[in-house]
Amino acid sequence: MSLSLRSEDRGVAIPDSIPNDLITEIFLRLPAKSVARFRCVSKQWRSMSHLPYFTELFLTRSRSRPRLLFALQRGYPCDWSFFSSPQLQNPYDCKVSVGFHMKLPREMCTERFCGPVSGLIYFCIREVSQKSDKDAVLVFFNPRTRQYAKFSELKTDFSASFLGFDPIDKQFKVLSMSRPYHRILTLGTGNMRWRKIQCPLNHLPLGEVVCINGAMYYSAEVSKSSFAIVCFDLRSEKYKFIEAKRYLEDLFNYKGKLGRINLRYVKDGNTLALHVKVLEDVENQKWSKNVYTLPENAPVDRYDAYIVGVSATGEIVLSERRTSQQRFYVFYFNPERNTFQRVEIQGFGDYYHQNPAHSVSVFVDLVEDLHVNDAKYLKSSQGLDIIRERPTPLKPLPIPQKICSSAPSLKNKYELLEDLE
């Protein structure tokens, strides 16, 4: 792309074009949405941003500045709004502000969802149609770009379904479980259809799924009063079962391994401790165990806080359950350094100053990955109804400028999913 500036305007010689290495360095400092827009400038810029070297380096830099994702839930049917804020990087930060991303339309109300998995969130809703009173509809959306798509070709005889991502083949897959067989759906294929797969052991999924390095882990009941942790490899589409004496919840990605963390009071009834178990060896089903005691003055209410997850740098993140006009906090505990920090999250009140308290779901390590081209996975797939209009904005307005400036916007309702092509 030529740079048309007159040298006499500044009195110095200016080159005719921007060097490629400088363009690359500029791109690496931008959010994924801006990089996607610049791909439309020229074929040269488009090819540069698709190079494996660039996408890997972009992901590396994105991981160095991860964010927290906040999903605020209010009322019934559930009203969902999504925000994000910088994740703790400076140990002296005590306050951060959120940026608004999107609010789901009322017709997409749901009580729970799966994700985020490599930037995408997935859930299932029921819609009334001519074929059935209530058809199951899968919805995939990216809260950072405000774009989403529906897939309606699904029978209603499933008990649970989860979204996973294979980082080797760069594929999203949905695992749907119903007896006597399971099905799998691969996004981004030219002819997107459900495939039946064999499961060696009938089981009933319980709780949430954790996706770690291309494997999905979830708790399940395999028979009456008999439980296990199921490991499903997304690439080979094979199952493994890990013995469990009871139903195990609070599963997390603990620095690349499956972990389980409980928050309990110690015997004195005043001090809180984190009980951590990490699956060190999947084949031999060996766990390591540690107990970490929080500081005596840690301002954490056991009954009003929960464990969010573990950051890539090893901090165990906790959060309050609800937010209102009062202050809202997240907490970081580093077991290796034995440090504890409380961070105030600001900005929710600017949107909900007249509404009652919201329940909050928090997710750690939200990063931008140019490998995850949701336009490719969604737009090219048959059976998907691509939603072209921006979801309904939050009210009341106006939104404070310091928060509004970080929110992405669409020029018009026909902007589809071009932002990540």
Side-chain angles (χ1 to χ4, degrees):
M1 175 181 179
S2 296
L3 186 66
S4 299
L5 293 177
R6 295 178 301 174
S7 60
E8 58 268 22
D9 290 342
R10 297 179 180 269
V12 295
I14 297 179
D16 294 334
S17 62
I18 304 175
N20 289 344
D21 56 348
L22 180 57
I23 295 175
T24 300
E25 189 61 32
I26 293 173
F27 281 1
L28 289 172
R29 298 172 184 268
L30 297 174
K33 187 176 182 69
S34 299
V35 174
R37 289 184 181 276
F38 286 144
R39 287 172 173 173
C40 302
V41 171
S42 67
K43 293 182 178 180
Q44 178 189 6
W45 283 21
R46 183 180 181 86
S47 61
M48 289 175 58
S49 61
H50 279 295
L51 292 174
Y53 162 79
F54 177 81
T55 53
E56 290 291 347
L57 191 55
F58 188 94
L59 178 59
T60 300
R61 292 202 178 187
S62 181
R63 284 173 174 164
S64 69
R65 49 179 187 269
R67 300 178 68 84
L68 292 177
L69 178 69
F70 299 91
L72 272 64
Q73 178 186 7
R74 178 176 63 88
Y76 184 84
C78 300
D79 184 341
W80 290 97
S81 299
F82 294 86
F83 303 78
S84 72
S85 75
Q87 198 162 288
L88 180 67
Q89 293 178 316
N90 185 342
Y92 300 103
D93 288 339
C94 59
K95 296 181 180 180
V96 296
S97 296
V98 296
F100 169 66
H101 290 298
M102 68 179 293
K103 177 181 178 180
L104 288 181
R106 183 52 62 93
E107 64 270 15
M108 293 172 59
C109 292
T110 180
E111 294 188 15
R112 58 192 303 179
F113 55 82
C114 178
V117 177
S118 291
L120 287 186
I121 288 177
Y122 155 78
F123 58 87
C124 182
I125 59 176
R126 295 287 194 270
E127 288 188 347
V128 178
S129 69
Q130 296 179 354
K131 297 180 181 179
S132 173
D133 292 338
K134 288 186 178 180
D135 282 349
V137 177
L138 305 186
V139 179
F140 308 89
F141 76 96
N142 187 328
R144 304 270 330 234
T145 62
R146 302 182 179 184
Q147 297 157 336
Y148 57 100
K150 296 180 181 179
F151 180 71
S152 57
E153 295 186 7
L154 175 67
K155 295 181 180 179
T156 57
D157 60 344
F158 66 96
S159 58
S161 58
F162 300 124
L163 175 67
F165 180 70
D166 174 12
I168 297 178
D169 292 334
K170 309 297 181 185
Q171 287 184 328
F172 287 98
K173 293 184 179 182
V174 178
L175 177 64
S176 174
M177 285 155 279
S178 60
R179 296 177 178 176
Y181 53 83
H182 293 184
R183 292 171 290 180
I184 196 161
L185 179 73
T186 303
L187 275 67
T189 57
N191 187 11
M192 199 167 75
R193 293 290 184 269
W194 290 99
R195 294 180 288 107
K196 292 182 180 180
I197 57 174
Q198 296 293 328
C199 180
L201 182 63
N202 286 335
H203 61 275
L204 176 64
L206 303 172
E208 304 296 331
V209 68
V210 179
C211 193
I212 306 174
N213 299 326
M216 298 168 66
Y217 296 88
Y218 57 90
S219 293
E221 184 179 27
V222 294
S223 63
K224 187 176 181 180
S225 301
S226 180
F227 302 91
I229 295 177
V230 183
C231 174
F232 178 74
D233 186 272
L234 288 161
R235 199 167 188 223
S236 65
E237 301 182 357
K238 301 296 183 181
Y239 290 87
K240 291 181 182 178
F241 294 86
I242 302 169
E243 294 182 1
K245 295 181 180 179
R246 56 189 175 86
Y247 165 52
L248 299 179
E249 54 184 352
D250 300 324
L251 300 179
F252 301 100
N253 181 345
Y254 195 94
K255 296 188 289 186
K257 298 179 180 179
L258 180 68
R260 182 171 180 261
I261 308 175
N262 286 326
L263 179 65
R264 307 176 191 170
Y265 280 111
V266 296
K267 292 182 179 180
D268 62 11
N270 297 317
T271 307
L272 286 169
L274 293 166
H275 295 249
V276 180
K277 294 181 64 177
V278 180
L279 183 60
E280 303 290 351
D281 188 338
V282 178
E283 296 296 333
N284 296 314
Q285 302 186 18
K286 292 185 178 180
W287 298 76
S288 63
K289 301 179 182 180
N290 288 286
V291 178
Y292 304 101
T293 303
L294 299 183
E296 293 184 3
N297 59 348
V300 178
D301 185 347
R302 168 66 181 86
Y303 304 103
D304 190 43
Y306 72 103
I307 300 168
V308 170
V310 183
S311 70
T313 52
E315 288 94 359
I316 300 175
V317 185
L318 300 91
S319 169
E320 296 181 324
R321 295 182 182 276
R322 303 185 69 82
T323 180
S324 61
Q325 297 181 16
Q326 306 301 319
R327 295 178 178 177
F328 178 78
Y329 295 99
V330 295
F331 311 91
Y332 296 85
F333 176 73
N334 191 311
E336 295 181 359
R337 301 176 182 175
N338 195 30
T339 57
F340 178 88
Q341 184 168 353
R342 181 180 70 173
V343 178
E344 180 181 347
I345 307 298
Q346 299 179 325
F348 294 139
D350 296 325
Y351 296 94
Y352 295 103
H353 58 85
Q354 294 179 346
N355 292 332
H358 292 62
S359 62
V360 185
S361 298
V362 187
F363 305 90
V364 301
D365 287 338
L366 181 67
V367 299
E368 295 178 310
D369 186 355
L370 294 179
H371 283 125
V372 182
N373 188 335
D374 55 358
K376 169 187 174 183
Y377 292 118
L378 302 182
K379 185 177 178 182
S380 65
S381 301
Q382 297 183 6
L384 279 172
D385 178 18
I386 303 299
I387 307 302
R388 307 186 179 191
E389 298 185 72
R390 182 177 60 185
T392 306
L394 279 177
K395 295 180 181 181
L397 295 176
I399 297 173
Q401 183 63 33
K402 63 179 181 179
I403 298 179
C404 184
S405 60
S406 64
S409 60
L410 300 180
K411 292 182 178 179
N412 55 64
K413 65 180 181 180
Y414 299 105
E415 196 170 356
L416 274 184
L417 296 175
E418 297 175 353
D419 291 338
L420 290 181
E421 281 191 349

